[in-house]
């Protein structure tokens, strides 16, 4: 039988996430609906999206420039990023200043669990060919990748990370235990789920789920989680 998930759960206080982007529109709708929206309304999380252009100098509010050495693609400039990060860190202490990048540490459920215990997080979204290395050397404390592929920018990755963390905050889900039964919380995939009707054109819900014996059902769900993991993601069991 799978062990009960032993993740630490945040005890008190809300989480603040500041996301810095030069295309903030990309973040608005993923973080404005469903569970994240409700968590914001309940005061469980505050999410502030900062437009990097507001910190750029000159008439054209440039946030990127040609790269030294002549390699292809524009590079995000140091100054606007420096200004916004300094402004935020003067106001409060941050647990992590994250840069979303395919070079980063691969994001997973244990990392999300750990981040859900933090108080203040900054997430910087890259664009173009990347950001000036000096930002990474002097300001960033952690680089996170959501997978071994390259997105056009860090916004979609930042939204994925934010959503994963927010659903772990106590009170974000209506049923507290449902985050514990998410896939990956025990290094196992979730068992299959069904709803009415019990028979759709001959496609039947397994009889056991209709038997009313909760202990038997729970044992069956556990065994299904193990079987599914063995079949679809055997490497999770090796961990
Ligand atoms: N930016 C571009 N690709 C990315 C990825 N795979 N993960 C995180 N940020 C990214």
């Amino acid at each position: 039988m799978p062990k009960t998930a032993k993740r630490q759960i945040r005890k008190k206080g809300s989480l603040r996430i500041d996301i810095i982007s030069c295309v903030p529109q990309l973040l608005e709708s993923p973080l404005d609906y469903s569970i994240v929206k409700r968590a914001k309304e309940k005061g469980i999380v505050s999410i502030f999206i900062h437009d990097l252009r507001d910190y750029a100098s000159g008439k054209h509010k440039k946030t990127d420039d040609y790269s030294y050495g002549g390699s292809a693609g524009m590079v995000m400039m140091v100054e606007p990023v420096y200004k916004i990060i300094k402004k935020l860190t003067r106001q409060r202490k941050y647990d992590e200043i994250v840069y979303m990048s395919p070079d980063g540490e691969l994001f997973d459920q244990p990392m999300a669990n750990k981040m859900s215990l933090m108080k203040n997080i900054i997430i910087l979204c890259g664009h173009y060919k990347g950001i000036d290395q000096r930002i990474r050397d002097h300001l960033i404390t952690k680089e996170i990748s959501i997978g071994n592929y390259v997105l056009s920018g860090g916004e979609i990755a930042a939204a994925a990370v934010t959503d994963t963390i927010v659903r772990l905050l106590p009170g974000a889900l209506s049923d507290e235990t449902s985050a514990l039964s998410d896939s990956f919380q025990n290094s196992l995939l979730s068992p299959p789920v069904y709803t009415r009707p019990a028979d759709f054109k001959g496609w039947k819900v397994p009889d056991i789920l209709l038997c009313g014996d909760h202990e038997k059902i729970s044992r069956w769900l556990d065994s299904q989680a193990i079987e599914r993991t063995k079949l679809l993601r055997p490497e999770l069991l090796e961990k």
Side-chain angles (χ1 to χ4, degrees):
M1 205 164 95
K3 285 195 210 102
T4 315
K6 274 217 193 80
R7 83 171 162 96
Q8 250 186 296
I9 296 180
R10 184 187 192 84
K11 296 256 164 29
K12 58 178 170 52
S14 68
L15 169 66
R16 175 181 173 121
I17 305 178
D18 290 273
I19 309 180
I20 304 167
S21 161
C22 46
V23 198
Q25 298 82 353
L26 280 172
L27 286 156
E28 280 159 15
S29 95
L31 301 177
D32 257 334
Y33 291 91
S34 181
I35 288 163
V36 179
K37 180 183 183 208
R38 251 186 293 128
K40 287 198 289 188
E41 285 168 354
K42 286 186 186 174
I44 295 166
V45 67
S46 318
I47 301 174
F48 296 90
I49 299 171
H50 305 274
D51 187 344
L52 196 58
R53 267 171 228 289
D54 294 342
Y55 297 84
S57 318
K59 199 167 75 187
H60 300 292
K61 299 271 173 200
K62 253 167 83 85
T63 56
D64 62 318
D65 212 333
Y66 295 102
S67 71
Y68 278 120
S71 54
M74 303 295 273
V75 176
M76 273 167 71
M77 298 161 77
V78 181
E79 197 189 12
V81 178
Y82 178 86
K83 277 196 200 156
I84 170 71
I85 290 183
K86 282 293 160 192
K87 181 181 156 190
L88 292 171
T89 52
R90 266 198 300 271
Q91 290 166 355
R92 66 195 65 75
K93 197 174 163 346
Y94 283 87
D95 299 281
E96 287 295 6
I97 303 176
V98 174
Y99 172 50
M100 298 310 307
S101 158
D103 307 351
E105 188 182 336
L106 219 47
F107 186 62
D108 61 5
Q109 198 66 49
M111 198 194 292
N113 290 343
K114 210 163 137 194
M115 290 175 81
S116 75
L117 303 173
M118 294 177 180
K119 217 164 166 259
N120 301 303
I121 302 170
I122 292 176
I123 303 180
L124 172 64
C125 306
H127 246 273
Y128 319 110
K129 199 67 197 161
I131 58 173
D132 189 303
Q133 183 60 36
R134 289 167 290 182
I135 297 169
R136 299 166 83 167
D137 293 343
H138 299 288
L139 297 172
I140 298 300
T141 61
K142 186 176 187 67
E143 302 201 0
I144 299 179
S145 164
I146 62 160
N148 294 330
Y149 43 80
V150 181
L151 299 160
S152 308
E155 286 78 8
I156 291 169
V161 166
T162 302
D163 181 279
T164 311
I165 295 170
V166 169
R167 59 182 285 107
L168 294 169
L169 302 174
L173 300 184
S174 39
D175 175 4
E176 265 286 332
T177 59
S178 62
L180 288 178
S181 61
D182 278 348
S183 282
F184 299 109
Q185 280 298 7
N186 286 319
S187 294
L188 288 177
L189 302 183
S190 293
V193 290
Y194 299 88
T195 187
R196 287 185 291 185
D199 184 340
F200 177 77
K201 299 180 191 293
W203 298 349
K204 294 205 172 111
V205 170
D207 287 338
I208 191 155
L209 293 177
L210 311 174
C211 77
D213 180 339
H214 294 296
E215 231 171 84
K216 213 164 150 189
I217 291 173
S218 164
R219 276 200 301 276
W220 183 82
L221 291 172
D222 287 346
S223 69
Q224 285 291 306
I226 294 169
E227 284 313 309
R228 256 194 180 199
T229 312
K230 266 191 208 159
L231 186 70
L232 302 172
R233 300 290 305 276
E235 81 282 4
L236 292 175
L237 293 171
E238 282 153 27
K239 282 188 189 164

